[in-house]
Amino acid sequence: MDIQEIIDTALRAIDEKRKTGFDESVDFKLTAEAYRIHLSHVYDPLSVAAVGRIDVVPHQVTAVSRMLHMDKIRLLLADDVGLGKTVTVGLLIKELLLRGLLKRVLIVVPSSLVVQWQRELKEKFGEEFEIVKGGPHTFHRCDKVITSMDYAKLPDKISALSNLRWDMVIIDEAHHLTPGTQRYILGEVLANRATHLILVTATPHNGKVATFASRLALLHPVNELPLDHVMIRRLKEDVTDFYGKNRPAF
C-alpha cells in the first residue's frame, strides 16, 4: 500500500466516524494535520520521494529540485544513456501534480516506448496516463496523455494539437526533432501550446550546430541564456549514489 492508498483509507475511516460525530479537539487535530500534509512541499522540496515506489539517487533529486525552482520549466534533459531520465521526468510530474500545479500533461515518445512509459508512470508513481493512438480517443478528452511521435506528427493530429493547451509537454528521444521534418513541426506546435516543455535525449548534439540550435529554439525562441541554463547533462562517470560511490546504470 502506497501513501496515497493510506490517505484514501484514512479519509474513508474519517467519513465513517463523522456519522457518529467527532468532538471538537479531534476535528481540530484532523484539520491541522490535513493542512500540514497540504503544505508539505513548502518544507520538503521533493515530497514525491515518499510517494514514488523507487529509490531516488542524487542526480535525479538535483535535476528535479533545479526544475522546481524555475518559473517556466523549459529545458533539455540530456543525461547519459542508462541514468534514469524517465524516472527523473516521473518525479517532476508527480511532484507538480501533488502541488496542484499541473493538470494537463502530454508525453510524446517513439512508438516502441509508449507502453513502457505508461507502465513506469503507473508502477512507480501511481499515475494513470491514457495512450492516444487513434480510434475514439482524442487528445482533448484526457488530461494525462501518452502518444507516439509518428502518430502525433500526422497533419490532422498536428492540427488538433494546435488548438489545445498543455500545462506540460515531454518529448522523449528529442534528437529526432530535425528541422524541415514533420516531427520538428510537431515540436514547434507543442512548444507554442505548452507552459512547461522538456526535451529528453541522451544524444543532444549530432555534430551539427544549426540542428542543435534549432532544438534549443523550441525551448526559448530568442535564446540568449548560457547553455547550462537550458540543458541538464550528466555522464555515467560523474554520477554517484548518496554514499559517493559510482552509481551503476539503471
Side-chain angles (χ1 to χ4, degrees), residues 74-76 171 173-179 181 184 187-188 191 197-201 203-221 223 230:
R74 299 181 72 90
L75 55 75
L76 179 62
I171 303 180
E173 302 294 331
H175 53 272
H176 293 305
L177 302 178
T178 303
T181 67
Y184 191 82
E188 289 180 309
L197 174 65
I198 300 177
L199 306 181
V200 182
T201 178
T203 53
H205 203 306
N206 64 357
K208 298 180 180 179
V209 175
T211 299
F212 180 63
S214 71
R215 294 188 191 117
L216 295 182
L218 295 175
L219 301 167
H220 300 278
N223 186 23
V230 296

Side-chain angles (χ1 to χ4, degrees), residues 227-245:
L227 185 58
D228 61 359
H229 281 57
V230 296
M231 182 172 76
I232 296 176
R233 179 163 175 78
R234 281 77 57 89
L235 303 178
K236 288 179 182 177
E237 56 266 30
D238 301 324
V239 171
T240 65
D241 60 18
F242 284 105
Y243 299 100
K245 298 179 180 179

Side-chain angles (χ1 to χ4, degrees), residues 45 49 92 109 116 134 150 183 213 238:
L92 178 67
V109 304
Q116 177 183 320
D150 285 337
R183 291 173 177 173
D238 301 324

Side-chain angles (χ1 to χ4, degrees), residues 11 28 45 48 58 70-71 96 107 152 158-159 161 167 169 180 183 197 199 202 210 225 231 234 246 250:
L11 289 174
F28 174 78
V48 67
M70 300 171 69
D71 292 331
L96 291 172
I107 301 175
I158 288 180
S159 178
L161 288 165
D167 298 320
V169 169
R183 291 173 177 173
L197 174 65
L199 306 181
L225 298 172
M231 182 172 76
R234 281 77 57 89
N246 189 255
F250 284 74

